[in-house]
């Protein structure tokens, strides 16, 4: 029985890892063992940070809404409470976009929320 050299399959697996490690610094993009560790770690960071990105953006939107709300003489929490009572269903992403790109419309939203 002839021996199996495993050339094709093993090389294909290694090349897949090295391709994923392209752009990493030093041996992390050249040597299979260090590249394999680096790719695994990068995957873990990517998985974790896909979730963290959602938190970070929500925090950013809240900061922007709060700043714009205070310019209109109301705090963030009171604004959100007023919006809920007035049945205005704008999420934080939209409110933050209004606050940055269209302050007049944001002021109108605050006004309507305050009246309710």
């Amino acid at each position: 029985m002839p021996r199996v050299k495993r050339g094709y399959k093993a090389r294909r697996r290694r090349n897949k890892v090295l391709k994923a490690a392209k752009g990493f610094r030093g041996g992390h993009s050249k040597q299979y063992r260090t590249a394999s560790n680096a790719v695994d770690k990068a995957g873990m960071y990517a998985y974790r940070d896909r979730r963290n990105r959602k938190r970070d953006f929500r925090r950013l939107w809240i900061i922007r809404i709060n700043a714009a709300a205070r310019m209109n003489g109301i705090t963030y929490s009171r604004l959100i409470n007023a919006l809920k009572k007035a049945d205005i269903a704008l999420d934080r992403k939209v409110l933050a976009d209004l606050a940055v790109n269209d302050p007049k419309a944001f002021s109108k939203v605050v006004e309507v929320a305050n009246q309710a």
Side-chain angles (χ1 to χ4, degrees):
M1 200 155 182
R3 71 189 180 102
V4 178
K5 290 177 16 182
R6 292 173 38 105
Y8 176 69
K9 292 273 189 186
R11 184 170 66 249
R12 188 167 61 177
R13 193 182 68 242
R14 285 190 214 109
N15 283 342
K16 189 167 68 177
V17 169
L18 288 171
K19 186 179 175 195
K22 236 184 189 134
F24 293 5
R25 296 185 69 151
H28 290 281
S29 65
K30 305 281 191 289
Q31 302 158 344
Y32 173 72
R33 189 186 296 176
T34 53
S36 178
N37 290 338
V39 166
D40 287 347
K41 196 74 169 173
M44 286 161 56
Y45 286 139
Y47 177 84
R48 180 196 69 191
D49 290 336
R50 276 195 295 276
R51 279 132 194 88
N52 286 356
R53 185 193 315 143
K54 294 163 184 62
R55 297 175 208 163
D56 291 343
F57 270 107
R58 187 180 170 95
R59 285 175 60 196
L60 175 67
W61 297 331
I62 288 171
I63 289 166
R64 286 179 174 172
I65 294 165
N66 190 21
R70 285 176 187 273
M71 285 178 172
N72 287 288
I74 189 171
T75 63
Y76 168 78
S77 61
R78 292 218 168 122
L79 172 64
I80 294 297
N81 187 32
L83 289 171
K84 278 192 173 57
K85 283 180 181 172
D87 282 330
I88 298 172
L90 292 175
D91 62 3
R92 285 157 183 82
K93 182 178 180 179
V94 172
L95 282 171
D97 188 53
L98 273 179
V100 172
N101 295 323
D102 195 358
K104 287 179 183 168
F106 185 81
S107 296
K108 205 69 157 169
V109 170
V110 170
E111 205 176 289
V112 171
N114 274 332
Q115 286 169 0

